Amino acid sequence: MSAFIQYTLQGLAAGGFYALAALGLAVIFGVLGVVNFAHGACYMLGAVVSAVLLDVVGLHFWPALVIVPILMFLFGVLLERVFVQWLLRLDVLYNFLLTFGIALVLVDLVKRRYGVSGLPYEQPAGLRGQLHLGSLSLPTYQVFVFAFSMLVCVLVWLLLTRTRIGMIVRASTEEPERTRALGINVNRWVTPVFGFGIGLAGLAGVLAAPFRAITADMGGNFVIILFAVVVIGGLGSVLGAVVAGFLVGLVEAYGQAYASSFSQIAIFVLMALVILVRPAGLFGRQETA
Amino acid sequence: MLEVTCLSAWYGEAQVLTDVSLAVHEGEVATLVGRNGAGKTTLLRCVMGLHRSLEGQLRLDERDLDRLSPNARARAGIGWVPDDRGIYASLTVEENLTLPPVVSADRAWPVEQIYEAFPALADRRASMGTQLSGGEQQMLAMARVLRMGSSLLLLDEPSEGLAPVIVQRIGEIIRQITDHGVGVLLVEQNVTFAATVADRHYLLAQGRVVEQLDNAQFQAREHELLEHLGI
């Protein structure tokens, strides 16, 4: 039983990374109609930047948790202004070519500079060791990752449902053309939303830094699972991204625990089953399918 | 107020509007009457700036609309009630209502006035948009442009699928706002309803304006028109 709870926690912690990154992917797709294949690379960059800042200027985990997402937001703004904005008028094929190309460039730049062996990152002070709850003992860091990513998801949810900006983002996600015709300058929100999505991927990267191997390739496998997450949740659905993120984290963890050779396949079997029953994903609307 | 001059529009190779010219004046209701596929909705989309494959001139209050984006046109005073009502599923009734900006403070209906005019919406202000019935969605789409304070309304079949009482209510509201100088371009298949609210009528067939009638002529020929339109 206690092993099961540990696997569950492991799944929820991994799910936290998926949920945060998928949330970013979902708002970007919603408002820009762009599927960002560079999202895994941005997650990787979040982790690498944290490690480099720790090494070079001694910036620790806690400040990095705030500063790195802001840097990644700015990086997203730059990407959008320089490259992504030109996609909005082009065939979707260019969307794939550009964002996939950006991912390759980022990965190779990191490889060139920092090699492939991985960067070190210590578990942050206060989050080391085990948390003892009665007879249970759980890795403190995993508990933190789960709680923190849930908190961020809830905050993003509040931002989307309780503010005027969120209302405009929801409206633009649902029906960009009609929203323009109602006098809303949707284009004005495109750049900040893209930056915000990249910032969330970067945040997932910071959280992953003490927990996963920090290598240039860490985003490759991640982005593939991320797409399974958004397909399961429903592309463009914010709630779907969060729920499916944690769900996929759990499936992966149980898979690794009980049938390790099938753990990756299990995610895609889940995806296939969801598509068979609900082609638009768990929370997707039919027309987005 | 609105002047459409020699408007032609295409979907790919297919021409859907040919040399359409029409005008809507302040405080006036003009209707576009025609069969399905005559090009009525396309014309409204051209005015709104959503259909871009076009030639000809569109002017609002002497101002050229060509270079204005859809959101700039909405801010210039054009309020659109689309044929699918255009209610957001992910927004509540109140959010649907307050999403667009107020474009003219003088003309805009405050939210309280809207709820007074449409009590059904007041009761359901916290419901999600698509939990409303078809009639309530139509009222919400109308209410939304009233709250914006638009000076020209483009109404795409506002009476479609509604109970007669509600159609009557919408007719009253149209008359009420035109008394305050708002112009209305109304796409309508319900000829009887059109005759009760409109001042002038444009008959559209195969993308061309085939006839322009004032309301008296229109009423006199209602039966003939019904047959002609096949509706």
Side-chain angles (χ1 to χ4, degrees):
Chain A
M1 186 61 201
S2 95
F4 177 78
I5 291 175
Q6 282 187 358
Y7 298 140
T8 305
L9 179 64
Q10 213 172 350
L12 291 174
F17 304 147
Y18 294 137
L20 289 178
L23 197 55
L25 207 57
V27 290
I28 289 175
F29 177 76
V31 175
L32 285 79
V34 167
V35 179
N36 181 27
F37 288 91
H39 220 63
C42 293
Y43 158 81
M44 175 273 290
L45 215 53
V48 168
V49 169
S50 311
V52 171
L53 285 178
L54 177 66
D55 183 42
V56 178
V57 294
L59 187 82
H60 287 288
F61 176 77
W62 295 106
L65 206 51
V66 178
I67 290 170
V68 174
I70 293 173
L71 292 176
M72 292 304 293
F73 169 85
L74 296 174
F75 178 66
V77 166
L78 186 75
L79 273 187
E80 199 279 334
R81 284 290 85 196
V82 178
F83 297 113
V84 176
Q85 64 158 319
W86 309 108
L87 288 179
L88 306 183
R89 275 159 256 161
L90 296 174
D91 189 87
V92 288
L93 188 59
Y94 292 91
N95 170 173
F96 172 75
L97 289 172
L98 177 77
T99 58
F100 193 64
I102 289 174
L104 293 179
V105 170
L106 291 176
V107 168
D108 276 358
L109 283 176
V110 170
K111 268 186 198 163
R112 246 183 101 90
R113 182 72 183 78
Y114 300 104
V116 290
S117 56
L119 298 162
Y121 204 92
E122 274 193 359
Q123 289 224 328
L127 298 176
R128 297 187 191 120
Q130 305 278 315
L131 204 64
H132 299 284
L133 295 171
S135 63
L136 271 178
S137 105
L138 301 167
T140 310
Y141 192 71
Q142 290 183 12
V143 175
F144 166 75
V145 168
F146 170 60
F148 186 79
S149 46
M150 276 301 278
L151 175 74
V152 174
C153 289
V154 169
L155 288 178
V156 172
W157 179 253
L158 290 175
L159 179 73
L160 284 171
T161 53
R162 297 279 183 275
T163 66
R164 178 155 180 88
I165 297 169
M167 181 161 99
I168 290 172
V169 167
R170 274 180 292 148
S172 314
T173 302
E174 193 178 326
E175 193 67 63
E177 182 182 70
R178 181 197 304 152
T179 309
R180 288 193 175 90
L182 288 172
I184 309 268
N185 188 350
V186 174
N187 296 356
R188 185 201 294 172
W189 299 103
V190 161
T191 311
V193 163
F194 191 81
F196 182 71
I198 300 299
L200 282 175
L203 178 62
V206 186
L207 285 172
F211 184 52
R212 297 264 166 103
I214 307 173
T215 68
D217 290 322
M218 70 188 284
N221 197 31
F222 185 80
V223 75
I224 295 172
I225 295 174
L226 207 52
F227 277 102
V229 170
V230 290
V231 170
I232 290 168
L235 200 54
S237 161
V238 167
L239 183 62
V242 174
V243 173
F246 286 108
L247 193 63
V248 164
L250 285 174
V251 168
E252 191 183 39
Y254 294 144
Q256 276 162 3
Y258 299 113
S260 61
S261 50
F262 295 105
S263 75
Q264 293 285 298
I265 299 172
I267 294 168
F268 294 97
V269 171
L270 174 67
M271 182 176 96
L273 288 176
V274 168
I275 294 176
L276 277 176
V277 182
R278 289 184 62 95
L282 292 176
F283 294 87
R285 291 184 305 277
Q286 284 307 316
E287 62 267 25
T288 59
Chain B
M1 146 167 273
L2 175 74
E3 265 177 276
V4 176
T5 318
C6 298
L7 179 72
S8 298
W10 291 263
Y11 277 108
E13 298 281 295
Q15 187 162 4
V16 282
L17 292 174
T18 310
D19 269 339
V20 171
S21 295
L22 58 83
V24 182
H25 305 114
E26 260 174 50
E28 178 194 61
V29 180
T31 64
L32 281 173
V33 184
R35 290 185 188 215
N36 277 337
K40 307 178 299 272
T41 295
T42 305
L43 198 152
L44 295 194
R45 291 175 59 85
C46 288
V47 175
M48 205 63 244
L50 296 171
H51 188 87
R52 286 292 187 175
S53 175
L54 58 87
E55 274 172 22
Q57 231 190 2
L58 297 164
R59 295 170 77 82
L60 180 72
D61 298 326
E62 315 286 306
R63 184 175 170 198
D64 240 323
L65 289 178
D66 297 353
R67 302 193 63 97
L68 294 189
S69 62
N71 58 293
R73 294 185 199 203
R75 283 172 189 272
I78 307 181
W80 183 42
V81 176
D83 54 349
D84 65 354
R85 314 6 169 145
I87 300 307
Y88 295 94
S90 56
L91 270 61
T92 65
V93 168
E94 186 137 315
E95 286 175 331
N96 265 288
L97 200 54
T98 54
L99 173 75
V102 169
V103 297
S104 153
D106 304 341
R107 236 190 299 268
W109 288 31
V111 174
E112 305 81 66
Q113 188 184 350
I114 300 244
Y115 285 147
E116 232 166 79
F118 304 97
L121 297 182
D123 297 339
R124 313 209 52 183
R125 65 177 81 187
S127 309
M128 298 311 278
T130 42
Q131 289 170 344
L132 300 183
S133 69
E136 288 166 335
Q137 288 192 25
Q138 187 64 59
M139 285 192 260
L140 180 54
M142 277 290 289
R144 187 164 59 187
V145 290
L146 295 175
R147 186 193 155 270
M148 290 172 76
S150 307
S151 55
L152 171 73
L153 301 191
L154 308 177
L155 307 182
D156 204 340
E157 308 223 21
S159 74
E160 196 193 6
L162 297 189
V165 201
I166 303 171
V167 174
Q168 200 187 343
R169 181 87 195 89
I170 286 178
E172 287 164 17
I173 287 169
I174 291 176
R175 274 186 295 270
Q176 187 182 342
I177 55 176
T178 48
D179 285 347
H180 289 90
V182 173
V184 177
L185 182 57
L186 174 71
V187 163
E188 196 48 80
Q189 297 221 30
N190 180 341
V191 172
T192 318
F193 174 64
T196 60
V197 291
D199 302 290
R200 286 184 306 117
H201 304 267
Y202 293 96
L203 303 192
L204 208 59
Q206 284 158 355
R208 290 168 195 273
V209 173
V210 289
E211 250 183 298
Q212 191 189 148
L213 304 166
D214 65 34
N215 203 31
Q217 293 168 312
F218 187 81
Q219 281 174 317
R221 290 171 56 188
E222 196 175 316
H223 290 287
E224 177 208 333
L225 290 169
L226 273 172
E227 240 164 71
H228 169 76
L229 293 167
I231 44 184

